[in-house]
Amino acid sequence: MIYAIYRIHYGLDFLGKSINSIIDEVDQIFVFWSKQPWYKGCENLPPLNENVTDFCKQFPHKVTVYEKEFDLPDGQYTQMYSHVVTGHNLPKKTLMMEPDMVWDREELKKALELEDPEISFKQIEFWKNDKWHIKRERPGPTLYNQAPGVTKKGCWTDKNKTHSTIKCFNYGFCLSPEVMKYKHEVAIQSSKYYKDSQPAEDWYETKWLNWTPETTNLEISKAHRHYIKRAEPYGTKD
C-alpha cells in the first residue's frame, strides 16, 4: 500500500497537475486543506477564492480531503500521517508532497523503488513558467518506508537524506499573480511567528511580478536576496 499526503492552504494552480503526476503509482491520496494560515493573526490579506474540497471531487476514487487547521509547519506532516493511519491501514510507503510539486512518471517510479527509511528528492524549480528555472539546493518531496519522525518545516525530518540524482519539478514560483500576492503577504505577516527569514517587502512587485530575464537577486528573503542570482533558461546545459 502506497499513500501520498499533501498539505495545502493556497494555490490550486498546480494541485491537479501534481495529483495527475502520481495518481497511477499510488493507492490513496490524502489532501489536508487548511483554510487559514499557520499564523492566525494575519490581517487584511488579499482575497483568495479557492475550494480544495470541490476541486478534488474530480478524483472521486483515490483522493480524500480533510479540512484541518495547523498552527506551525514543523511537525505538520507527522500529524497528518497520524491522522491518516488512525482510520486506514498502515502503508508500506508514504510520499509526502506539496501542491506545487510535479513528477515525471519515470522519475517517480525510480523513487518509489527505493527502500531507505527516509529519502527526499531534489527539485527543478521553475520561475514564472516552465521555460525558466532557478538554481538552489532545497529538498522537495520525501518518501518514507516507515512511520515518519517529527518533520521540520518541509516534508522531511533530515534534509541531508536527499537522493543525489532523482528530481521532481516545482512550480511554486509559477502561481497566478493573485495567489502569489497572497503568498507573499502571508509570509510577510507570519514569518517571525514560525521563525522563518523575513521576506523583502518589495519582492512581489520588483522581483516576481515585473521580472525580466535581466532581474537579479531573486530570493524572497530580505537578508539573502543574493542566494538566487537570476533565473536561467530551462533546458540549457548546466
Side-chain angles (χ1 to χ4, degrees), residues 63-191:
V63 178
T64 300
V65 177
Y66 295 111
E67 297 182 16
K68 188 172 175 61
E69 301 302 322
F70 297 89
D71 294 327
L72 288 168
D74 303 78
Q76 184 175 350
Y77 280 94
T78 307
Q79 295 177 58
M80 294 190 298
Y81 177 88
S82 297
H83 188 92
V84 167
V85 300
T86 298
H88 299 82
N89 294 328
L90 287 173
K92 181 180 179 182
K93 297 174 179 284
T94 305
L95 182 65
M96 304 300 193
M97 293 281 292
E98 301 272 16
D100 51 17
M101 297 171 179
V102 176
W103 282 94
D104 170 82
R105 191 63 53 85
E106 295 306 313
E107 286 287 279
L108 177 60
K109 287 180 178 179
K110 289 190 290 185
L112 293 176
E113 290 174 354
L114 300 175
E115 298 293 340
D116 308 61
E118 172 187 348
I119 187 74
S120 296
F121 304 98
K122 296 180 179 180
Q123 303 180 94
I124 297 168
E125 293 193 70
F126 291 126
W127 182 265
K128 298 285 284 189
N129 55 56
D130 59 8
K131 302 296 188 295
W132 296 85
H133 74 125
I134 57 172
K135 293 181 179 180
R136 62 175 175 171
E137 293 295 323
R138 191 168 68 104
T142 303
L143 178 70
Y144 292 92
N145 287 293
Q146 63 181 19
V150 179
T151 53
K152 308 300 183 186
K153 288 184 173 68
C155 302
W156 38 269
T157 71
D158 184 350
K159 64 181 178 180
N160 293 316
K161 296 177 179 178
T162 301
H163 198 274
S164 60
T165 60
I166 297 176
K167 299 179 180 181
C168 81
F169 300 113
N170 185 295
Y171 288 81
F173 288 116
C174 302
L175 301 169
S176 69
E178 294 77 16
V179 174
M180 190 62 80
K181 184 174 183 179
Y182 180 92
K183 174 182 179 177
H184 183 231
E185 184 60 36
V186 167
I188 290 172
Q189 294 193 37
S190 62
S191 57

Side-chain angles (χ1 to χ4, degrees), residues 21-37:
S21 76
I22 69 170
I23 196 165
D24 291 336
E25 305 299 327
V26 303
D27 297 292
Q28 291 289 323
I29 298 171
F30 301 93
V31 179
F32 285 77
W33 175 29
S34 298
K35 296 181 180 179
Q36 301 179 64

